[in-house]
Amino acid sequence: MKARVFVTLKNGVLDPQGKAIGHALNGLGFDSVGEVRQGKVIDLDLHESDAQKARAALTQMCEKLLANTVIEKYEIELR
Amino acid sequence: MKARVFVTLKNGVLDPQGKAIGHALNGLGFDSVGEVRQGKVIDLDLHESDAQKARAALTQMCEKLLANTVIEKYEIELR
């Protein structure tokens, strides 16, 4: 089973990297670009066929290693 | 309109960061984890209501700034 985990900064946490991307895009002439936020995406191959178990394991992984839950939130997507 | 862009390494390009995450997860006892790849996710607010125009602009942004198309591929998601 393949899984995709998104780790992004919580709303309200400053994101200088996103700001820099937004400024650069505006500078290149993309005037329609407003706020930009950058995060991480992690694609995992899991040797697990039970979706419920996979989701539980991924939640553990996010809490323990993948996300800093003080400032980051995560989303899990199974495919 | 909100858009999400994924920038990930092309298949075949070494991903030491993903490997490190995979090893760390295995070390924490998550034995079901196989290959891991890490990439970037960029969330954008666009002042553009036409989906076709938005997608065209995003493709331009990816080609010009967001992705290094020699080693990275991108996916665009409108929401």
Side-chain angles (χ1 to χ4, degrees):
Chain A
M1 179 174 285
K2 284 188 183 291
R4 180 163 259 190
V5 174
F6 305 103
V7 179
T8 48
L9 288 169
K10 286 183 180 173
N11 294 334
V13 178
L14 273 182
D15 179 8
Q17 210 168 355
K19 279 254 181 311
I21 295 172
H23 280 298
L25 287 172
N26 290 148
L28 283 172
F30 296 106
D31 302 319
S32 64
V33 176
E35 213 203 336
V36 180
R37 311 268 298 168
Q38 204 212 295
K40 284 176 282 189
V41 58
I42 300 161
D43 289 312
L44 303 103
D45 274 333
L46 293 178
H47 311 304
E48 172 66 69
S49 50
D50 184 299
Q52 213 166 354
K53 277 189 201 162
R55 192 171 286 275
L58 286 163
T59 305
Q60 283 291 312
M61 290 178 210
C62 287
E63 294 285 340
K64 284 193 181 163
L65 183 82
L66 301 179
N68 173 356
T69 52
V70 177
I71 55 168
E72 292 173 326
K73 55 185 161 57
Y74 56 86
E75 292 164 58
I76 293 166
E77 205 180 275
L78 293 174
R79 24 175 82 189
Chain B
M1 180 173 287
K2 285 188 183 290
R4 179 164 259 190
V5 174
F6 305 102
V7 179
T8 48
L9 287 169
K10 285 185 180 171
N11 294 333
V13 178
L14 272 182
D15 178 7
Q17 211 169 354
K19 279 255 181 311
I21 295 172
H23 280 299
L25 288 173
N26 290 149
L28 283 172
F30 296 107
D31 302 320
S32 64
V33 175
E35 213 201 336
V36 180
R37 312 269 297 168
Q38 206 212 294
K40 283 176 282 189
V41 58
I42 301 160
D43 289 312
L44 304 103
D45 273 333
L46 293 178
H47 311 302
E48 172 66 69
S49 49
D50 184 299
Q52 212 166 354
K53 276 189 201 161
R55 192 172 285 277
L58 285 164
T59 305
Q60 283 292 311
M61 291 178 209
C62 287
E63 294 284 340
K64 283 193 183 162
L65 182 82
L66 301 179
N68 172 355
T69 52
V70 177
I71 55 167
E72 292 172 325
K73 57 186 162 55
Y74 57 85
E75 292 162 60
I76 293 166
E77 204 180 275
L78 294 174
R79 25 174 82 188

